Amino acid sequence: MTASTSGHPLSGRAAIVGIGETGYVRGADETVLEMVLGASMAAIRDAGLTPADIDGILPPPGFVAWDEIAAHLGIPDVRYTSTPQMGGASPTAALTTAMMAIASGVAETILVPIGWNGYSALRPRPDAKPSKRRFSAAFFETVRNYYGPYGLRSAPWWYSLYLQRYVELYDVPPEAPGAVAVAARKHAQLRPNALMHGRAMTMDDYLASPYITEPLRKFDCCVETDCAAAVVVTSAERARDLPHRPVLLLGGAEGHANPAHELTNRADVLDLGLSRAAPRAFEMAGVTARDMDFLQIYDCFTHVVLLQLEALGLAERGGAPDLVKGGALELGGAYPLNTAGGMLSQGHCWGLNLVVEAARQLRHDAGDAQVHGAELGLVTGYGDLGDGSIVILGRG
């Protein structure tokens, strides 16, 4: 059993005991609520529990509120709920909140769900049920009022403001982000539910893909999908009596760029929230980045993965291109990355699909994608233009 060596009072006190997910599709027949309920029930059943066992719900901001989930699942007594406001960093940040709630006795068993129609919301079909929800945040007010008038109307353009600076400052070759994209696509071939399953990609394919906005090519961008995922977290003590090998929460933290939602006034546009969060999480867990058997890194864009590898301490600033050479991110390499395909090739589920895959790896249930003997792994979250979250997981 993996145990924390840090002595931190939260480390190892809680565990992931149930996981669930939908398919990753373009054009779901279900509403967002229906997808979230399906993934949530799958996670609850996977844990060997019933909705009556759930007493905490931590949904990220967006499409479905905690009380809708509780009402439809028949959860009779919600003792605790909280919603992180960190965009794509929210699901991973919620796991740290779950650690605190369980260790303090505020809640005993917590559901962390997410779902959205990330493809069909902007492409309504006449035969599909419409969504009445849209994700909104202060970040989008900033980009609408200050970036939109200059033609920067979607995520690739916003991110390119600092990703191009990264490329130019450190002479990042295209093969470096290409290594991230190729590894994700290779791993997606091992997951039938991945959107890009059956669609192999080589480095030549990557380099031939058109630019969206420099430095981002088409294959540098995550796929748009309709999907949902959920995990169930309870105490490590209770986890021993449930069906699956517990996945212990050994460490977690969040960090924020300053200012969080605006680039042009930052002293250093490449200073990420993860740069602050990662050292705290590793200290809590009593491990280092190089102890990890695999990495599940939020991959909205390939270059963002490179920045996060550096923020984790695996390379100096500008050193990630050397780190990822020679298949280092692929199964069998030094740092197996996003072993189900990640957001680049499995599906964009706000990164909670990365948590689901991490749990499979540490249960040793990952099939052909299994990292042999995996005992430790990490998951990162990335929100908007630099919010960062991280959780360190261990095989119980």
Side-chain angles (χ1 to χ4, degrees), residues 16-20 39-40 43 95 110-113 229-233 352 355-356 359:
I16 296 172
V17 294
I19 56 176
S40 297
L95 294 177
I110 294 176
L111 175 69
V112 180
V231 300
V232 174
V233 183
L352 195 56
V355 178
V356 170

Side-chain angles (χ1 to χ4, degrees), residues 76-93:
D77 183 15
V78 177
R79 295 167 54 188
Y80 180 69
T81 182
S82 177
T83 296
Q85 301 290 333
M86 295 177 62
S90 300
T92 305

